[in-house]
């Protein structure tokens, strides 16, 4: 829901600590390809994508990966338009959006004016849906789809190099734990202390983080129930709440 949460005046929502100001979750991965050219992907384009892209100084985008089709993860897709026009001018190409079939179906329905074969809207985003497979290589970097449960849904997490990103997780299957060996950086969602049908509690997330044993775990998708400073105080040293604008080096 983002923090401050609409209509709420709790201590976290009214906090002046900038780390208690949370936009909807997303991550950007940047690297230099073999030719020394900067490459960038993002995972999810939520309703805050525009603001996040501006803050991160995003000027070029090579691909988008989607975890699932909930509004807080897809409702910024239209703001890919300016970036997609730039890519089209340079390469004559559309930006690929990697999504599972059920996620692609929602994107097609919500953004009919973009994806419909009958779409006539002239300035629609120059994007194309690609089926998310187990393994996708973008300019030399491999992105592995790691399935997790989000309530009754199966959604996508991602492993790239020594890092992995999971949001909206309520359960990690055994077969997915097996894909998370030797991680340096793990990003994992942790909503709050109180149980939720489709999100991990802080305690569950910490348990999984310990089991995965990444050098550093960052928690994301945090509700207003968890204040930054006070929550970090009760966490193990290598498990921290992430915050907006956080940048972490990874080996790809
Ligand atoms: Zn969700
Ligand atoms: Zn979500």
């Amino acid at each position: 829901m983002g923090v401050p949460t609409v209509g709420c005046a709790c201590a976290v929502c009214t906090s002046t600590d900038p780390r208690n100001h949370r936009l909807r979750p997303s991550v950007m991965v940047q690297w230099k390809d073999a030719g020394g050219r900067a490459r960038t992907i993002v995972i999810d384009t939520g309703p805050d994508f525009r603001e996040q892209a501006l803050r991160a100084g995003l000027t070029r985008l090579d691909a988008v990966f989607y975890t699932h089709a909930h509004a807080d993860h897809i409702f910024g897709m239209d703001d890919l338009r300016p970036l997609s026009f730039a890519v089209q001018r340079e390469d004559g190409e559309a930006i690929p959006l990697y999504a599972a079939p059920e996620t692609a179906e929602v994107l097609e329905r919500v953004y009919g004016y973009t994806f419909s074969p009958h779409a006539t809207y002239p300035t629609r985003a120059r994007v194309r849906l690609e089926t998310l497979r187990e393994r996708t290589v973008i300019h030399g970097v491999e992105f592995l789809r790691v399935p997790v449960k989000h309530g009754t849904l199966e959604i996508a997490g991602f492993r790239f190099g020594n890092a992995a990103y999971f949001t909206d997780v309520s359960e990690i299957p055994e077969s997915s734990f097996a894909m998370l060996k030797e991680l340096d950086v793990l990003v994992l969602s942790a909503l709050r202390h109180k149980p939720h049908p489709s999100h991990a509690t802080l305690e569950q997330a910490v348990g999984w983080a310990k089991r995965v044993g990444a050098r550093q775990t960052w928690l994301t998708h945090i509700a207003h129930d968890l204040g930054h400073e006070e929550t970090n105080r009760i966490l193990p040293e290598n498990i921290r709440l992430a915050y907006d604008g956080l940048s972490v080096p990874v080996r790809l």
Side-chain angles (χ1 to χ4, degrees), residues 98-130:
Y98 293 92
E102 58 276 20
T103 302
E105 200 186 295
V106 177
L107 284 165
E108 281 174 326
R109 192 165 67 234
V110 170
Y111 296 103
Y113 64 91
T114 303
F115 296 111
S116 157
H118 313 293
T120 53
Y121 180 45
T123 57
R124 62 186 182 274
R126 271 44 165 182
V127 291
R128 60 168 208 271
L129 284 166
E130 296 282 343

Side-chain angles (χ1 to χ4, degrees), residues 68 70 72-73 150 153 168 199 221:
H68 66 302
H70 283 160
D72 55 328
H73 299 261
H150 176 25
L153 293 178
D168 296 57
H199 290 277
H221 207 297

